[in-house]
Amino acid sequence: MRDQARDGALRLLAAVEDGATLDEAAPLTEGLSPADRARARRLAREVLRRIDRADALLTPFLARRPRPQIMRILRLATVEMLALDEAPHGAVNAAVTLTRALGGKGQAASGMVNAVLRKVAASDQVWAALPPQRLPDWLRKPVSAAWGEAVTRAIEAAHEAGAPLDLTPRGETPGEALPTGSHRLPAGTQVSALPGYAAGDWWVQDAAAAMAVRLLDPKPGERIADLCAAPGGKTLQLAAAGAEVTALDISPSRLGRVAENLARCGLAAELVAGDALDWRPPQPMDAVLLDAPCSATGTIRRHPELPLIRDGAGLAELTELQAHMIDHALSILKPGGRMVYATCSLLPAEGEDQLTAALARHPGLTVLPPQAAGIGPDWTTAQGALRLRPDMWPERGGMDGFFIVCLRKSAEQT
Ligand SMILES: C[S@@+](CC[C@H](N)C(=O)[O-])C[C@H]1O[C@@H](n2cnc3c(N)ncnc32)[C@H](O)[C@@H]1O
């Protein structure tokens, strides 16, 4: 019988090599059962987290580099055996079957695949000594310049480890309560099977992402604009706090997900599909949340394909857009109003440097030091922002990378 999940994983890996995200590649596994589809995606993610490590182990066993399809099969079996505790005979047999299914060239290569993977199966000590996958240079350089080599390596280790499932609670919520208020469950937990999902007692949101609204500290009745709202995790937090929320997003389809999430949780917000830079409220807002579009390099634990398919191109346009959005957000805020600027990025260019530049452009703008519960001693920057990184909370399973700052507009400004 064909191994549908492994076959699906190989198709996903091929699509990522062609530059697709795993979300974009998802239709390639549409014909699979839900369980096989989920397993295919999990296998693909686990391989993407360890391609360099698998290649470093495999290369000495290969007389010459095989064709891409065969290399993907070798990587998958290597990761299954050495990182996912799959029994060698099952992983090797599956790899040989998948190789044979490639036709004539596969038939010819199946003996080599079998022999190489038997050596791989006996290489657990070599595997354990290999370092986690390095960030690509365009990302590694600024990360290492900001926090040094040891932190960069710890971030790389956290990327390999993947991400647990975090929930933001509203009612009764499963999982371990974290110091910041989020709840945590093991990676791979099936979300829709958890109690309270349909009732909207909680929603899925990384513990770091949940900190943006905690820093804004919304009050009941405050008029708050969520300028980049979809899929809506932060909109839900604002609405649950009793704020009168206007949630904007430039993507109508993504805004549809905000509507679905609000409906599931029995919460309300005004929804506006459009460019935040064009939107002006009838009266200035009490507070604004700007969870700006960014490189998403803080989410590599969940999206391990990002370092492979991005090269840092477009970063200058993104940072320019972020700066415009900060200026626009301040222009729709009442004097003395609060604004949170957040990006799920590891790059200081999208965080610390944006704050420095915004403070220089807007005399009278001040940083409100983070006050929320559970903030670790090393999370706050000298400027009073939160710098969250995947290597933080290592004993609890890490968190996404985020930069978050709460700003107060001068009371004198008009
Ligand atoms: C980081 S995501 C927001 C995540 C969201 N705040 C949450 O917690 O679920 C950034 C969002 O910004 C939206 N976006 C990008 N450019 C925009 C613009 N000019 N105006 C409004 N939304 C924009 C994207 O469609 C995307 O949904």
Side-chain angles (χ1 to χ4, degrees):
M1 204 180 86
R2 274 186 72 200
D3 187 335
Q4 302 285 349
R6 287 185 176 105
D7 197 45
L10 293 170
R11 268 182 272 157
L12 294 176
L13 290 169
V16 169
E17 278 175 34
D18 287 339
T21 63
L22 285 174
D23 284 343
E24 287 162 352
L28 294 172
T29 58
E30 241 159 34
L32 272 58
S33 70
D36 278 344
R37 211 182 309 143
R39 191 165 132 73
R41 197 173 166 109
R42 187 175 81 86
L43 287 173
R45 266 204 219 107
E46 297 292 3
V47 172
L48 291 166
R49 291 182 178 126
R50 300 172 178 86
I51 287 186
D52 289 358
R53 198 161 166 168
D55 286 8
L57 186 81
L58 283 161
T59 303
F61 300 141
L62 297 168
R64 59 190 149 79
R65 197 173 171 87
R67 310 158 64 204
Q69 292 102 313
I70 291 173
M71 199 63 203
R72 287 193 282 274
I73 292 172
L74 289 170
R75 286 172 178 156
L76 173 60
T78 299
V79 169
E80 283 195 89
M81 288 189 285
L82 297 179
L84 306 179
D85 291 332
E86 183 70 35
H89 69 271
V92 176
N93 286 347
V96 169
T97 307
L98 286 161
T99 306
R100 287 205 182 113
L102 294 174
K105 293 206 168 123
Q107 294 285 351
S110 61
M112 178 276 287
V113 166
N114 187 23
V116 166
L117 289 178
R118 283 180 192 285
K119 290 183 200 161
V120 166
S123 303
D124 45 340
Q125 288 181 6
V126 181
W127 175 261
L130 288 166
Q133 186 151 291
R134 277 170 72 92
L135 290 168
D137 279 353
W138 66 269
L139 185 50
R140 200 173 205 280
K141 278 188 186 146
V143 167
S144 148
W147 302 297
E149 181 61 20
V151 167
T152 308
R153 285 192 192 168
I155 290 174
E156 287 165 343
H159 286 164
E160 185 182 281
L165 175 72
D166 289 349
L167 308 178
T168 296
R170 180 161 178 242
E172 198 159 321
T173 304
E176 178 207 349
L178 297 170
T180 53
S182 293
H183 282 221
R184 182 158 280 187
L185 290 139
T189 304
Q190 200 195 325
V191 173
S192 54
L194 290 172
Y197 173 76
D201 288 339
W202 46 263
W203 49 94
V204 174
Q205 188 177 32
D206 184 80
M211 295 307 292
V213 171
R214 301 214 173 100
L215 255 61
L216 190 63
D217 191 19
K219 303 284 189 299
E222 277 191 319
R223 295 175 54 255
I224 302 185
D226 183 357
L227 291 183
C228 297
K234 299 176 188 75
T235 309
L236 295 174
Q237 282 179 284
L238 294 168
E244 276 181 41
V245 188
T246 303
L248 276 99
D249 204 280
I250 200 162
S251 159
S253 62
R254 284 174 61 82
L255 199 65
R257 291 186 57 200
V258 183
E260 284 163 24
N261 283 324
L262 284 163
R264 177 172 68 83
C265 296
L267 292 166
E270 181 193 8
L271 299 184
V272 179
D275 190 331
L277 292 170
D278 295 335
W279 182 75
R280 290 212 157 264
Q283 313 152 21
M285 304 303 288
D286 295 321
V288 174
L289 175 65
L290 175 56
D291 187 21
C294 71
S295 64
T297 43
T299 67
I300 290 172
R301 298 183 315 153
R302 297 166 202 287
H303 302 287
E305 72 276 24
L306 287 183
L308 304 166
I309 62 173
R310 302 272 188 261
D311 60 4
L315 190 63
E317 286 82 4
L318 261 182
T319 54
E320 197 179 326
L321 173 64
Q322 290 156 1
H324 282 141
M325 285 186 150
I326 290 173
D327 294 349
H328 183 71
L330 289 170
S331 79
I332 61 169
L333 193 59
K334 72 178 186 186
R338 305 171 330 278
M339 167 186 154
V340 158
Y341 170 74
T343 48
C344 55
S345 170
L346 291 177
L347 295 167
E350 299 183 282
E352 289 82 349
D353 300 353
Q354 287 288 9
L355 173 58
T356 304
L359 292 172
R361 285 198 305 278
H362 300 276
L365 189 64
T366 50
V367 174
L368 294 174
Q371 300 286 354
I375 291 176
D378 53 345
W379 298 4
T380 305
T381 70
Q383 285 176 307
L386 270 196
R387 166 46 76 186
L388 305 176
R389 298 189 314 247
D391 60 301
M392 290 170 164
W393 268 353
E395 70 293 351
R396 295 180 191 275
M399 63 176 84
D400 278 355
F402 251 92
F403 177 86
I404 307 170
V405 64
C406 188
L407 297 159
R408 184 184 290 287
K409 179 169 165 172
S410 162
E412 278 82 56
Q413 263 175 281
T414 52

